[in-house]
């Protein structure tokens, strides 16, 4: 497993670089809310990273989608990453509807 890049404190507090901590549960409504939020970020601001604290659906639910949508790197602990890989054996990581049923 590859080593995740280290974060510099300045990456978290730069006014043009926004970091998402947990993405919320997957739903069409939440995707639309994220799209509206991203369209209305101030100035040149953009999402530059996504941190998932743990694998509950209300924390990781939109992580894959938001990562693809923003082309921002996703950060999570090695333990959580291994759990995600294990769960992928039960459902496709992009199949968010089944993820909620899995839990």
């Amino acid at each position: 497993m590859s080593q995740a890049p280290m974060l510099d404190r300045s990456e978290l507090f730069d006014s043009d670089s926004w970091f998402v901590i947990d993405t919320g549960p997957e739903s069409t409504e939440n995707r639309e809310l994220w799209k509206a939020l991203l369209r209305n970020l101030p100035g040149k601001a953009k999402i530059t990273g996504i941190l998932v604290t743990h694998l509950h659906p209300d924390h990781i639910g939109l992580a894959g989608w938001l990562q693809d949508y923003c082309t921002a790197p996703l950060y999570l602990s090695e333990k959580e990453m291994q759990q995600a890989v294990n769960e992928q054996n039960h459902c496709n990581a992009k199949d968010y509807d089944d993820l909620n049923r899995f839990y």
Side-chain angles (χ1 to χ4, degrees):
M1 193 170 294
S2 64
Q3 180 78 16
M6 296 299 291
L7 294 176
D8 182 290
R9 184 176 184 270
S10 65
E11 292 181 76
L12 297 175
F13 298 101
D14 181 329
S15 63
D16 288 337
S17 300
W18 288 38
F19 220 84
V20 173
I21 300 175
D22 294 335
T23 61
E26 193 288 320
S27 72
T28 300
E29 179 182 11
N30 286 342
R31 288 181 191 195
E32 294 306 314
L33 288 169
W34 271 112
K35 288 177 186 178
L37 175 94
L38 295 170
R39 279 192 305 270
N40 291 293
L41 289 176
K44 297 178 182 179
K46 65 180 183 174
I47 303 299
T48 57
I50 303 161
L51 174 67
V52 172
T53 59
H54 60 283
L55 294 183
H56 290 163
D58 58 325
H59 295 260
I60 196 171
L62 283 172
W65 174 83
L66 193 61
Q67 180 184 24
D68 290 344
Y69 192 82
C70 297
T71 63
L74 178 64
Y75 299 92
L76 65 159
S77 73
E78 185 175 344
K79 181 179 175 183
E80 295 296 325
M81 181 62 177
Q82 185 57 52
Q83 182 65 25
V85 169
N86 291 340
E87 291 178 14
Q88 193 170 17
N89 292 329
H90 297 280
C91 65
N92 183 321
K94 298 287 186 180
D95 187 358
Y96 301 112
D97 293 331
D98 285 340
L99 186 60
N100 287 332
R101 285 192 290 277
F102 179 81
Y103 285 97

